Amino acid sequence: MTSSRGRGGEDQAVGVGPRRLPPQPQLIAGLDIGGTKALAVLADSEGRILAQKRLATGHRGAEGLLATVTRAVLALADLGGVDARSIAAVGIGVPGLVDPGTGQLRHAVNLGVGDESVDLAGPVARLIDGPATVANDTNLAALGALPQFPGVSDLAYLSLGTGVAVGLVLGGEMHPGTRGMAGEIGHVPVDRHGEICECGQRGCLETVVSGAAIARRWPPSGDDGTGPTEALLAAAADGDARAIAVRDELCEHVATAVALVAQLVDPDLVVLGGGVAEAGAPLLEGVRVVLRRRAGVSPLLGALGLAERVAIVPAGVPVGALGAVRAASGALTS
Ligand SMILES: [Zn+2]
């Protein structure tokens, strides 16, 4: 970044030489690509959102993914009233393994990308004539959540969505791990009497706290747009005995996931995110009740203060896309 401040009063020069225009904000695009839909935001380098666009993910496989990404960048340029080359940098979050060294994507199962390596950054960089950054969506969501919690530099983002995974930001920087595998805890077994998981094991975390797991235990009724977790928590609050049992089991398992991450990494904060976390305050409170109860029987856990170190993504903040903006901004200034 350049600044004209403190350079011998150049800012004060009036009527001498070419007229100075105010600095133009740099446009950064942040894309959060999911299995069925994508959210694209156009932001300035401070992360302020100027425009956003939702798209269906469309065709699967590497070519389909690249087509979605291209469509998203062009749509943002259109919304911003600029040419794609006026976008200074693009950040892309994808649900898959991203090699931290090369930025190549593999194993984005929900996007139909298998073992082949996909270069998304190269074609996008040519489209905008600027840097493009690709990273795992959960890691980017952790980065995007960070500014929501001032004073925090070590943050773990526990994504409770279609899958279950953790994104880590340590010392203000993403920590994807040497192979991009850090935080893949969805397939840690937590219930040896539980359901068989798609991965072949029994009782994985993903079989008890993912959105699909909750929908199996509390099937959505009607089509009023209420998510299964919100419907479950509302029924429990109304005193439905079965809903209370399902809620209590859910909160136990989410609390276990929080404890797993907190006791392994010891971050300032564990932030709940993903579709399940859209249930908001009632979910957070339910998890805190469990963590407080466990702290009450164990002085060691009490000293960790986990109930005070768990938080939830504020409603309506697109942390995945904002994290992509932040990573792309970093690529511009590095
Ligand atoms: Zn599994």
Side-chain angles (χ1 to χ4, degrees), residues 186-187 197-201 204 206:
H187 297 286
C197 180
E198 281 180 33
C199 77
Q201 303 184 94
C204 290
E206 209 160 283

PDB file of all heavy atoms in Angstrom, residues 186-187 197-201 204 206, ligand 1:
ATOM      1  N   GLY A 186     -14.213 -33.630  10.994  1.00  0.00           N
ATOM      2  CA  GLY A 186     -15.569 -34.165  10.788  1.00  0.00           C
ATOM      3  C   GLY A 186     -15.652 -35.677  10.905  1.00  0.00           C
ATOM      4  O   GLY A 186     -16.695 -36.224  11.251  1.00  0.00           O
ATOM      5  N   HIS A 187     -14.537 -36.333  10.621  1.00  0.00           N
ATOM      6  CA  HIS A 187     -14.558 -37.800  10.659  1.00  0.00           C
ATOM      7  C   HIS A 187     -13.780 -38.362  11.846  1.00  0.00           C
ATOM      8  O   HIS A 187     -13.200 -39.435  11.780  1.00  0.00           O
ATOM      9  CB  HIS A 187     -14.106 -38.369   9.306  1.00  0.00           C
ATOM     10  CG  HIS A 187     -15.045 -37.960   8.218  1.00  0.00           C
ATOM     11  ND1 HIS A 187     -16.289 -38.529   8.079  1.00  0.00           N
ATOM     12  CD2 HIS A 187     -14.972 -36.966   7.307  1.00  0.00           C
ATOM     13  CE1 HIS A 187     -16.927 -37.916   7.085  1.00  0.00           C
ATOM     14  NE2 HIS A 187     -16.153 -36.973   6.609  1.00  0.00           N
ATOM     15  N   CYS A 197     -21.104 -43.788   9.050  1.00  0.00           N
ATOM     16  CA  CYS A 197     -20.818 -42.554   8.311  1.00  0.00           C
ATOM     17  C   CYS A 197     -20.520 -42.887   6.852  1.00  0.00           C
ATOM     18  O   CYS A 197     -20.121 -44.004   6.522  1.00  0.00           O
ATOM     19  CB  CYS A 197     -19.618 -41.873   8.960  1.00  0.00           C
ATOM     20  SG  CYS A 197     -19.128 -40.336   8.177  1.00  0.00           S
ATOM     21  N   GLU A 198     -20.666 -41.887   5.979  1.00  0.00           N
ATOM     22  CA  GLU A 198     -20.326 -42.086   4.561  1.00  0.00           C
ATOM     23  C   GLU A 198     -18.873 -42.497   4.385  1.00  0.00           C
ATOM     24  O   GLU A 198     -18.511 -43.142   3.405  1.00  0.00           O
ATOM     25  CB  GLU A 198     -20.573 -40.801   3.769  1.00  0.00           C
ATOM     26  CG  GLU A 198     -22.030 -40.576   3.439  1.00  0.00           C
ATOM     27  CD  GLU A 198     -22.220 -39.285   2.665  1.00  0.00           C
ATOM     28  OE1 GLU A 198     -21.334 -38.911   1.888  1.00  0.00           O
ATOM     29  OE2 GLU A 198     -23.281 -38.661   2.852  1.00  0.00           O
ATOM     30  N   CYS A 199     -18.025 -42.131   5.343  1.00  0.00           N
ATOM     31  CA  CYS A 199     -16.596 -42.464   5.232  1.00  0.00           C
ATOM     32  C   CYS A 199     -16.328 -43.917   5.603  1.00  0.00           C
ATOM     33  O   CYS A 199     -15.208 -44.398   5.424  1.00  0.00           O
ATOM     34  CB  CYS A 199     -15.764 -41.540   6.106  1.00  0.00           C
ATOM     35  SG  CYS A 199     -15.810 -41.948   7.857  1.00  0.00           S
ATOM     36  N   GLY A 200     -17.342 -44.622   6.156  1.00  0.00           N
ATOM     37  CA  GLY A 200     -17.161 -46.030   6.501  1.00  0.00           C
ATOM     38  C   GLY A 200     -17.041 -46.284   7.995  1.00  0.00           C
ATOM     39  O   GLY A 200     -17.243 -47.401   8.459  1.00  0.00           O
ATOM     40  N   GLN A 201     -16.692 -45.248   8.765  1.00  0.00           N
ATOM     41  CA  GLN A 201     -16.584 -45.426  10.210  1.00  0.00           C
ATOM     42  C   GLN A 201     -17.975 -45.281  10.853  1.00  0.00           C
ATOM     43  O   GLN A 201     -18.951 -44.976  10.187  1.00  0.00           O
ATOM     44  CB  GLN A 201     -15.667 -44.364  10.809  1.00  0.00           C
ATOM     45  CG  GLN A 201     -14.276 -44.321  10.227  1.00  0.00           C
ATOM     46  CD  GLN A 201     -13.421 -43.301  10.969  1.00  0.00           C
ATOM     47  OE1 GLN A 201     -12.716 -43.630  11.891  1.00  0.00           O
ATOM     48  NE2 GLN A 201     -13.516 -42.052  10.543  1.00  0.00           N
ATOM     49  N   CYS A 204     -19.101 -40.769  13.436  1.00  0.00           N
ATOM     50  CA  CYS A 204     -18.248 -39.593  13.233  1.00  0.00           C
ATOM     51  C   CYS A 204     -18.979 -38.326  13.697  1.00  0.00           C
ATOM     52  O   CYS A 204     -20.212 -38.276  13.699  1.00  0.00           O
ATOM     53  CB  CYS A 204     -17.929 -39.414  11.756  1.00  0.00           C
ATOM     54  SG  CYS A 204     -16.841 -40.655  11.098  1.00  0.00           S
ATOM     55  N   GLU A 206     -19.463 -35.793  12.120  1.00  0.00           N
ATOM     56  CA  GLU A 206     -20.349 -35.353  11.039  1.00  0.00           C
ATOM     57  C   GLU A 206     -21.719 -36.044  11.092  1.00  0.00           C
ATOM     58  O   GLU A 206     -22.697 -35.505  10.596  1.00  0.00           O
ATOM     59  CB  GLU A 206     -19.667 -35.631   9.694  1.00  0.00           C
ATOM     60  CG  GLU A 206     -20.074 -34.662   8.616  1.00  0.00           C
ATOM     61  CD  GLU A 206     -19.068 -34.636   7.472  1.00  0.00           C
ATOM     62  OE1 GLU A 206     -17.999 -34.015   7.633  1.00  0.00           O
ATOM     63  OE2 GLU A 206     -19.358 -35.212   6.417  1.00  0.00           O
TER      64      GLU A 206
HETATM   65 ZN    ZN B   1     -16.935 -40.266   8.860  1.00  0.00          ZN
END
